[in-house]
Amino acid sequence: MQDVMQTSMKFRYFKQQAFFTVVRLSALIIALALGGLLGYIVLNGISAISWDFLTLPPTDSMTKGGIMPAIVGTLYLTIGAIAVALPLGVASAIYLAEYARQGKIIRVVRIGVNCLAGVPSVVFGLFGLGFFVVFLHFGSCILSGALTLGILVLPTIIGASEEALKAVPQTFREASLALGVSKWQTIYRIVLPNALPGILTGSILGIGRAAGETAPIMFTAAAFFTAKLPGSIFDEVMALPYHVYVLATAGTHIEQTRPIQYGTVLVLVGLVLGVDLIAIVIRSYVRKKKRW
Amino acid sequence: MNRHQKEIFIRGIFAFFAFASVLILALIVMFLFREGLPIFKEVSVADFLFGQEWYPTYDPPSYGIWPLIFGSVIVTVFSCLIAVPLGVLSAVYISEIAPTAIKDVTKSIIELLAGIPSVVLGFFGMVVVAPFIQKTFDLPTGLNIVNASVILAIMAIPTISSISEDALYAVPSEFKEASYALGATKYETIAKVIMPAALSGISTAVILGMARAMGETMVVLMVAGGAAAIPESIFDSVRPMPASIAAEMGEAPFGSGHYHALFATGIVLFFLTLIFNLIADYISRKFKEVGSATL
C-alpha cells in the first residue's frame, strides 16, 4: 500500500514536471520568436541606416537614396489619427466610466466598441475608400488616411482610457462631491488628472498601432512615390509600412533593393516599438509611484 | 443656464461621443453595402459565395469567391493550431508559474510582439521563412499555407495570451487554496481547477485570436502565395479574402464589376469576423465569473 502511494505520488510529480517543462518551453518559444525577429532585422538593417538614408528622398526609381518622405508621411498620418481618435476616445470613455448606468444603452455602446475593435484592417481601408475618398470627395490624401487610421485606433484608446478612469478610487469622487463640487468639475479636476497617465499609455500604444498599419492607408492615403513633401492635408504621402510593402513585392529590383528594404523595416520597427516601450516604461513608473 | 441644466448638457455631449463608435460601425456597414451590393446585379449571391472561379479581369469575368473564403478559413485554422497551445500555455506560465521578475519580462515580450507591424512580419515571412520552407521541403515556392499560418500565429499569440491571462488571473484564489488543501499538486490544481474555471475567458481569447488571424491582411497578402484556387496540400498557395481585396483594389477601375465584387468580399469578411466577435462577447458575458459564489 505504502509502495503504491509512493509511486503514485512520484508519478503525479513527474506529470507536474512534464507539464511545467512544456509551459516554460512555450513561453521560451515566444521569447525566441521575438528575439530572432528583432535580431534579424537589426543585424540586416543597421548597415543601411545613415544620415543620408533618413534625410534624402528615394532616387533612381527607388533603388537608391533615402526614405525621408516616407518617415514624414507616417508622422503626419499618425499625428492626424491621434488628433481624431484621442478626443473622441477619451470623451467616449468618460461617458462609459462616469455617466452611463448599467442597461440596454450601455450594452449597445459596448458591443459597438468591441465590434469596431474586431473589424479587419482591410475593411477599414475599404470604408475609408468608400466614405472619405469617394463619397466625401477628399481623394486619396493625408486627411482620408488619418481619419481612417483614427477610427481604427479609437477602440484601443476607449478601452485604455476607460480602464484608467475606473482605476481612480471611488473615494476621490465622493470626497469631491461631498464638498459640493458638481459632477463635471469633479471629473475635470479630480478624475481626469489622476487617470491621465493611464490614458496617455493607452494613446501611445494607439500611436504605435496607427504608425504600423498598412492596409487601411493603401487605398486612402499612401503614394507609391513622391519626391516632394506634402504641402497640404489634401496631398498623397509616402508611408513607411507601405514603402516596405511596395519595395518587397512590386517592381523589378526586389533583390537589388534588399538593403533599403531592411533599412526601412528597421526604421519602422524602431519607431513603433520605441513608442510602445515609452508607454510600457511610463506605465511601470506610474504603478510604482501610485499613492493609493 | 443654471448648474443643473449645464450638467445635463455636458452629460448629453459625452453620450453623443460615446455613440460615435456605434455610428461609425453603422457607417462602415452602410458603405460596404453601398459599394458592394451592385455586384449582385451581375451575379447571384449563391454563385458569388460558392462559385469556384475567381477571374474578375477576364472577359466575361467570373466572380466566385469560394476559393478566397476557403483560403481564409484554412490559414486561420492552421495558424490557430500553432497559436492556441502557445498562447494559452504562455498565459498559464505568466499567471501561475513564472517568478515575479520573469513574469513582467514575459508580459512585456508579448506586448512588444503585439506591437510589431504586420507588414514587418509579412516581410520576415518573405525573406526568412519562405526560403527556409522552400529549401527544406524542396518546393517551387515557399509562399504557401504553412508559411502564412506560422506568421499569422505570431500575430494571434499576443491576443490569445493576454486575454487568457486575464481569465486565469480572475479565478478566485479560494479555488486554488481549496484544491491545495485537498492535497492536489500544482499541476492538478491548474489543469483541473483553474483552467476549467477560466474556460469561458480562454474560449473568448481563442475566438478573438481566430478573428484576428482571419482579418489580418498584410501577412496573407505577402506570404500566402496568391493562388485563387482550392489548395490540395498544405504547401499550396492560397489567396485569402483580405489579400485579394488589398492586392486588386488598386487595379480595379472605380465603379466596375471588379470594384463592387471586392467590396462584396469585404462584406463577407466583415460579417465573418463580426460573428466571431459577437460569439466572444456572448461567451464572456454569459459565463462571467462574479466571484466564488457562482460555483
Side-chain angles (χ1 to χ4, degrees):
Chain A
M1 187 64 197
Q2 191 78 27
D3 265 11
V4 178
M5 287 276 285
Q6 286 273 311
T7 40
S8 139
M9 213 47 216
K10 258 186 201 151
F11 182 63
R12 284 168 68 191
Y13 276 110
F14 171 73
K15 269 209 294 195
Q16 165 151 323
Q17 277 315 312
F19 176 72
F20 281 13
T21 309
V22 173
V23 168
R24 289 199 183 100
L25 212 60
S26 43
L28 188 67
I29 291 173
I30 295 174
L32 287 179
L34 180 74
L37 190 74
L38 293 182
Y40 182 83
I41 290 167
V42 172
L43 284 180
N44 285 284
I46 199 79
S47 57
I49 307 286
S50 66
W51 183 246
D52 284 351
F53 186 70
L54 297 175
T55 53
L56 290 178
T59 49
D60 299 282
S61 43
M62 301 214 287
T63 57
K64 290 196 178 74
I67 53 167
M68 187 268 292
I71 297 176
V72 173
T74 287
L75 287 182
Y76 280 148
L77 286 171
T78 311
I79 292 167
I82 288 301
V84 173
L86 191 59
L88 203 56
V90 174
S92 302
I94 289 178
Y95 182 77
L96 287 173
E98 304 293 325
Y99 285 105
R101 297 186 198 96
Q102 289 303 317
K104 276 243 169 64
I105 295 176
I106 192 159
R107 274 265 337 112
V108 170
V109 172
R110 230 173 260 290
I111 291 181
V113 174
N114 285 346
C115 287
L116 197 62
V119 172
S121 54
V122 74
V123 171
F124 280 110
L126 284 178
F127 169 67
L129 174 65
F131 187 55
F132 301 123
V133 176
V134 174
F135 183 73
L136 296 178
H137 297 292
F138 290 164
S140 176
C141 64
I142 297 177
L143 181 63
S144 303
L147 287 167
T148 309
L149 286 174
I151 59 173
L152 176 116
V153 297
L154 183 60
T156 312
I157 293 183
I158 294 178
S161 307
E162 199 190 338
E163 215 168 287
L165 290 168
K166 283 191 169 158
V168 177
Q170 199 56 34
T171 47
F172 285 27
R173 296 183 185 84
E174 284 158 7
S176 168
L177 291 171
L179 292 170
V181 178
S182 74
K183 177 145 187 163
W184 164 239
Q185 282 172 321
T186 303
I187 293 172
Y188 183 67
R189 295 281 171 90
I190 306 293
V191 182
L192 270 183
N194 281 299
L196 197 64
I199 294 175
L200 272 183
T201 314
S203 320
I204 297 174
L205 290 175
I207 291 178
R209 173 104 201 269
E213 279 288 350
T214 320
I217 56 170
M218 279 173 105
F219 339 120
T220 57
F224 195 73
F225 173 70
T226 49
K228 62 179 179 57
L229 294 176
S232 83
I233 55 169
F234 290 105
D235 282 350
E236 273 195 311
V237 282
M238 291 178 76
L240 285 171
Y242 188 63
H243 195 57
V244 171
Y245 168 69
V246 166
L247 288 179
T249 58
T252 45
H253 310 293
I254 293 177
E255 289 302 325
Q256 197 190 330
T257 58
R258 277 285 185 242
I260 300 183
Q261 295 170 27
Y262 283 119
T264 315
V265 166
L266 180 59
V267 171
L268 177 62
V269 169
L271 193 77
V272 171
L273 291 195
V275 160
D276 284 355
L277 266 179
I278 292 174
I280 291 174
V281 168
I282 292 183
R283 189 180 50 199
S284 66
Y285 178 73
V286 170
R287 273 191 194 151
K288 274 186 198 131
K289 269 197 71 176
K290 217 165 193 174
R291 287 157 302 165
W292 62 82
Chain B
M1 205 176 344
N2 68 29
R3 190 168 135 169
H4 185 61
Q5 283 169 328
K6 197 174 152 196
E7 285 294 312
I8 291 177
F9 177 69
I10 289 172
R11 186 195 156 95
I13 289 178
F14 282 119
F16 172 77
F17 281 127
F19 270 97
S21 301
V22 181
L23 187 76
I24 290 169
L25 202 63
L27 276 175
I28 289 177
V29 174
M30 218 174 88
F31 275 85
L32 284 179
F33 276 99
R34 189 182 121 106
E35 304 288 336
L37 284 185
I39 190 62
F40 298 115
K41 284 182 206 142
E42 292 183 42
V43 55
S44 75
V45 175
D47 284 348
F48 180 74
L49 287 177
F50 302 113
Q52 299 283 333
E53 284 171 346
W54 174 253
Y55 296 125
T57 52
Y58 281 29
D59 193 28
S62 169
Y63 301 115
I65 63 164
W66 184 247
L68 313 184
I69 297 177
F70 194 88
S72 275
V73 171
I74 196 129
V75 292
T76 304
V77 170
F78 277 105
S79 68
C80 281
L81 291 182
I82 306 167
V84 170
L86 284 178
V88 174
L89 289 178
S90 65
V92 170
Y93 180 74
I94 292 171
S95 77
E96 306 296 330
I97 298 177
T100 320
I102 302 180
K103 179 173 161 167
D104 290 342
V105 174
T106 317
K107 279 179 86 156
S108 306
I109 287 176
I110 286 175
E111 218 161 347
L112 286 180
L113 200 59
I116 292 183
S118 53
V119 71
V120 171
L121 288 171
F123 180 74
F124 188 75
M126 281 180 86
V127 298
V128 179
V129 184
F132 175 77
I133 292 178
Q134 191 180 359
K135 255 183 234 151
T136 314
F137 299 98
D138 195 23
L139 300 165
T141 171
L143 303 175
N144 53 30
I145 296 174
V146 177
N147 192 344
S149 305
V150 170
I151 304 289
L152 280 180
I154 298 180
M155 300 218 62
I157 282 172
T159 309
I160 297 178
S161 179
S162 59
I163 301 172
S164 300
E165 191 210 321
D166 288 344
L168 291 168
Y169 190 72
V171 175
S173 57
E174 290 97 321
F175 287 21
K176 251 188 270 184
E177 287 152 13
S179 171
Y180 289 144
L182 290 171
T185 63
K186 195 164 183 180
Y187 162 68
E188 286 159 350
T189 305
I190 293 172
K192 294 180 184 165
V193 177
I194 299 177
M195 298 276 273
L199 195 63
S200 71
I202 295 176
S203 319
T204 309
V206 170
I207 295 169
L208 289 178
M210 287 179 86
R212 180 90 208 269
M214 179 166 277
E216 174 45 44
T217 311
M218 296 320 287
V219 169
V220 290
L221 176 60
M222 293 168 87
V223 303
I230 303 287
E232 281 159 7
S233 93
I234 55 168
F235 294 114
D236 280 356
S237 292
V238 286
R239 191 181 191 85
M241 288 181 277
S244 189
I245 297 170
E248 295 164 34
M249 192 45 104
E251 289 134 40
F254 172 71
S256 65
H258 191 188
Y259 173 89
H260 294 308
L262 291 174
F263 268 94
T265 311
I267 298 176
V268 175
L269 181 63
F270 174 80
F271 279 102
L272 268 177
T273 48
L274 186 72
I275 290 168
F276 277 109
N277 282 293
L278 289 177
I279 294 174
D281 185 78
Y282 175 78
I283 293 178
S284 69
R285 197 163 48 99
K286 175 103 182 173
F287 303 101
K288 197 169 190 180
E289 194 75 54
V290 253
S292 41
T294 41
L295 286 187

